[in-house]
Amino acid sequence: QVQLVQSGAEVKKPGASVKVSCKVSGYTLTELSMHWVRQAPGKGLEWMGGFDPEDGETIYAQKFQGRVTMTEDTSTDTAYMELSSLRSEDTAVYYCATDLLIGRSMDVWGQGTTVTVSS
Amino acid sequence: QSVLTQPPSASGTPGQRVTISCSGSSSNIGSNTVNWYQQLPGTAPKLLIYSNNQRPSGVPDRFSGSKSGTSASLAISGLQSEDEADYYCAAWDDSLRAVFGGGTKLTVL
């Protein structure tokens, strides 16, 4: 049984960066493909990027290209999502999600990390 | 504006059958499979349907999915009060990026 545990809430000023972590247990990170999805208050789900096992590369949504970096530390089975040049519109709950059942299923989710961007 | 189009709301009475539609294009739904997620208030999304019509273990068979061309549907039969939630469709597009629908808020009257 895989479990994803995310880091705690963050409050950042406009222009700053935030780095959210997602700790994997029950599996090793190398066995999984990790995705990041965010949800602004009262809004829908938005895919930010994820690892594509067929290409062996991390693919980013075009909207976030150049501003987001997704990395992994296989020694601690922890995935990271760093978003830079924050603005108020980046205020959202950020989720990590992984494909355990089948590729591109996003069937296991972290609990979410609230990021608030405010001056 | 979401890439996949869903109705913003749907409703039904207990025991009824409700369907939620999801419309896309040839580059996403038309050429890739569709997933459906259920999100209860204040919780993370939960996978309900994958590969158009497959249910993960533990999802009741009251939930079913289908796909035709560039559209997909989620059907919920025998509606229950605990089904009141937001529902999202998702698909990958030909550039290997995932796209979501805007979500449908289901109300059980």
Side-chain angles (χ1 to χ4, degrees):
Chain A
Q1 182 81 355
V2 65
Q3 194 174 5
L4 307 179
V5 178
Q6 299 184 224
S7 49
E10 303 260 14
V11 179
K12 295 292 182 181
K13 293 195 182 302
S17 297
V18 68
K19 193 169 187 177
V20 179
S21 68
C22 175
K23 167 78 174 168
V24 176
S25 62
Y27 276 74
T28 62
L29 197 47
T30 54
E31 300 176 279
L32 304 171
S33 295
M34 197 65 70
H35 304 271
W36 291 87
V37 176
R38 78 176 187 180
Q39 185 171 37
K43 302 295 185 182
L45 303 173
E46 184 174 32
W47 183 81
M48 300 179 69
F51 183 78
D52 185 84
E54 292 181 16
D55 271 7
E57 292 185 359
T58 298
I59 310 288
Y60 298 121
Q62 289 180 338
K63 174 178 179 177
F64 301 102
Q65 204 99 32
R67 211 162 61 93
V68 69
T69 305
M70 296 172 188
T71 56
E72 298 180 348
D73 183 346
T74 55
S75 68
T76 60
D77 289 319
T78 303
Y80 298 91
M81 186 285 299
E82 183 170 21
L83 187 63
S84 62
S85 302
L86 290 169
R87 33 209 189 232
S88 58
E89 311 88 88
D90 294 317
T91 294
V93 176
Y94 289 77
Y95 295 101
C96 57
T98 193
D99 307 329
L100 184 65
L101 189 61
I102 189 174
R104 301 174 181 172
S105 58
M106 292 191 289
D107 56 291
V108 180
W109 292 66
Q111 83 276 20
T113 296
T114 299
V115 175
T116 303
V117 182
S118 173
S119 54
Chain B
Q1 197 78 353
S2 301
V3 175
L4 305 182
T5 301
Q6 296 181 236
S9 64
S11 63
T13 56
Q16 235 181 358
R17 184 177 186 270
V18 169
T19 62
I20 297 171
S21 62
C22 174
S23 177
S25 69
S26 58
S27 65
N28 43 62
I29 293 179
S31 52
N32 295 284
T33 60
V34 177
N35 297 340
W36 288 91
Y37 299 87
Q38 176 192 60
Q39 187 177 34
L40 298 170
T43 69
K46 169 190 171 184
L47 180 68
L48 215 53
I49 298 288
Y50 68 98
S51 297
N52 303 328
N53 54 18
Q54 302 299 301
R55 281 186 310 277
S57 173
V59 173
D61 59 8
R62 302 187 296 105
F63 295 90
S64 62
S66 63
K67 184 185 109 169
S68 178
T70 59
S71 294
S73 290
L74 172 71
I76 309 171
S77 60
L79 199 61
Q80 299 180 3
S81 57
E82 54 260 41
D83 298 334
E84 190 159 289
D86 293 326
Y87 293 84
Y88 295 89
C89 59
W92 257 252
D93 67 21
D94 291 343
S95 68
L96 306 179
R97 293 171 171 86
V99 289
F100 282 96
T104 297
K105 184 177 184 61
L106 176 64
T107 301
V108 180
L109 302 169

